[in-house]
Amino acid sequence: MQHPLKHHLTLTLLALILLSHFPPASPVTPCRTVCGTTAINYPFSIDDGCGAPQYRSMLNCTGTELFFMTTSGRYKVQSIDYNKQTMVVYDPAMSTCSILQPHHDFVMTDVESVVIPPSSDTVFALLNCSIDSPVLNRYKNLCFNFSGHSCDELYGGCNAFRVFRSFTNSSPPCCFTGYDTVKYMSMNILDCSHYTSFINVDGLKGIGPADWVYGMKLSYAVPDTGCGRCTRSGGACGYDTETGIMMCLCSTSMNATRECGSNGDIGSGQKLALRTKFHAFALVVGAFIYFVIFI
């Protein structure tokens, strides 16, 4: 017959082992924080319900590549500067100094145009425009001189654009303009066959088009929703996918309205998880007491 003391010690050890399987809850957020080598921080996200609702579904992570999604296509994200609140994207279907692409428009949704528009140091060049183009007539004030560069320089200095000179032995009209022009008028309305865009234009004075940085720099603002309080508590800022209300995501099954570990702000998922752990703990303790007293 087993010695009572030894029997009780065995049960005590068993209870401690079982209790060790219920470690203190620690926040494990459901939001991915990286795509390839690009950090994904608030207000952006690549998971529905994470980040700020204004930026919902704007980014897509495919393998190790991050894309900015618009109605006109997928634009590869080259970098995100969270300090300057800018994102540099590149349109693989856009013409550049080295390659001529088919006719293409850049179109953003109404929400994207408001919350993350191209920055002021992104210039669009409308190429091979008709003499009847509205930007050469009624809306010629939309075109501007940028850093002393000209249409002749683009057509002469870029292998891809020299073809436009071959038809008339002269440079067809072009227009350097801002995003609002291509926002409100398509390439068909503008009566220009191609466009390209480049960034950091303040630093391009005296630099030839072959060395320009082609792409678009988008600027955004971070919504003031108290996200810092959430992240300091170990959570990730997100929102209810049905109501859009801000939430602090503490794990795949727990959420709080403001911060993780705040009993007053605990969400229904977190309450259920805590009740489950409490019941499991009570069951183990009850079984231990029963064996000690009755067996």
Side-chain angles (χ1 to χ4, degrees):
M1 183 174 180
Q2 189 177 23
H3 192 279
L5 178 60
K6 187 175 182 181
H7 181 64
H8 291 165
L9 289 174
T10 301
L11 290 174
T12 301
L13 180 60
L14 175 62
L16 291 174
I17 292 173
L18 288 172
L19 288 174
S20 70
H21 284 75
F22 296 94
S26 59
V28 180
T29 64
C31 304
R32 287 176 288 172
T33 58
V34 67
C35 177
T37 58
T38 305
I40 309 298
N41 299 332
Y42 187 81
F44 302 115
S45 76
I46 51 178
D47 298 297
D48 198 24
C50 299
Q54 301 94 317
Y55 298 88
R56 185 177 189 175
S57 301
M58 286 190 187
L59 297 183
N60 175 264
C61 183
T62 303
T64 60
E65 294 189 316
L66 185 65
F67 294 92
F68 177 71
M69 311 299 291
T70 76
T71 54
S72 60
R74 291 155 41 104
Y75 299 81
K76 191 175 186 309
V77 176
Q78 295 184 311
S79 64
I80 302 177
D81 190 322
Y82 290 100
N83 293 322
K84 296 181 179 179
Q85 297 182 5
T86 58
M87 175 190 299
V88 176
V89 301
Y90 179 76
D91 180 5
M94 180 183 72
S95 297
T96 67
C97 196
S98 59
I99 184 171
L100 188 66
Q101 303 271 35
H103 176 95
H104 181 63
D105 279 305
F106 173 64
V107 182
M108 303 181 82
T109 66
D110 292 338
V111 172
E112 290 170 341
S113 295
V114 172
V115 302
I116 188 167
S119 63
S120 58
D121 64 345
T122 296
V123 169
F124 290 79
L126 309 177
L127 304 170
N128 195 33
C129 300
S130 163
I131 59 174
D132 297 321
S133 171
V135 292
L136 299 176
N137 295 279
R138 183 177 180 181
Y139 299 109
K140 61 183 179 180
N141 62 305
L142 296 176
C143 301
F144 51 76
N145 179 10
F146 107 88
S147 300
H149 296 291
S150 66
C151 295
D152 283 340
E153 188 176 0
L154 267 178
Y155 293 131
C158 294
N159 292 330
F161 302 147
R162 287 195 182 109
V163 65
F164 297 133
R165 290 175 123 179
S166 62
F167 303 113
T168 60
N169 292 322
S170 63
S171 298
C174 81
C175 170
F176 297 119
T177 190
Y179 166 65
D180 282 346
T181 301
V182 297
K183 173 183 176 181
Y184 294 109
M185 290 184 281
S186 68
M187 296 300 291
N188 286 333
I189 294 175
L190 290 167
D191 207 2
C192 302
S193 66
H194 294 76
Y195 88 90
T196 189
S197 64
F198 26 88
I199 64 175
N200 302 330
V201 295
D202 292 338
L204 296 182
K205 187 173 183 179
I207 298 176
D211 296 319
W212 295 352
V213 179
Y214 291 85
M216 286 169 274
K217 183 185 292 183
L218 312 178
S219 60
Y220 66 91
V222 178
D224 184 12
T225 57
C227 181
R229 179 177 174 182
C230 171
T231 54
R232 284 192 296 273
S233 70
C237 298
Y239 56 91
D240 187 291
T241 55
E242 294 183 0
T243 65
I245 296 175
M246 187 266 179
M247 303 179 72
C248 187
L249 307 176
C250 304
S251 76
T252 54
S253 62
M254 303 179 188
N255 58 68
T257 55
R258 293 186 181 89
E259 60 184 300
C260 299
S262 174
N263 292 333
D265 297 324
I266 227 169
S268 59
Q270 192 170 3
K271 289 178 181 177
L272 176 61
L274 290 175
R275 283 199 299 268
T276 301
K277 287 191 175 185
F278 175 77
H279 292 159
F281 176 79
L283 181 63
V284 171
V285 172
F288 171 69
I289 294 173
Y290 174 82
F291 278 108
V292 169
I293 295 176
F294 299 105
I295 297 180

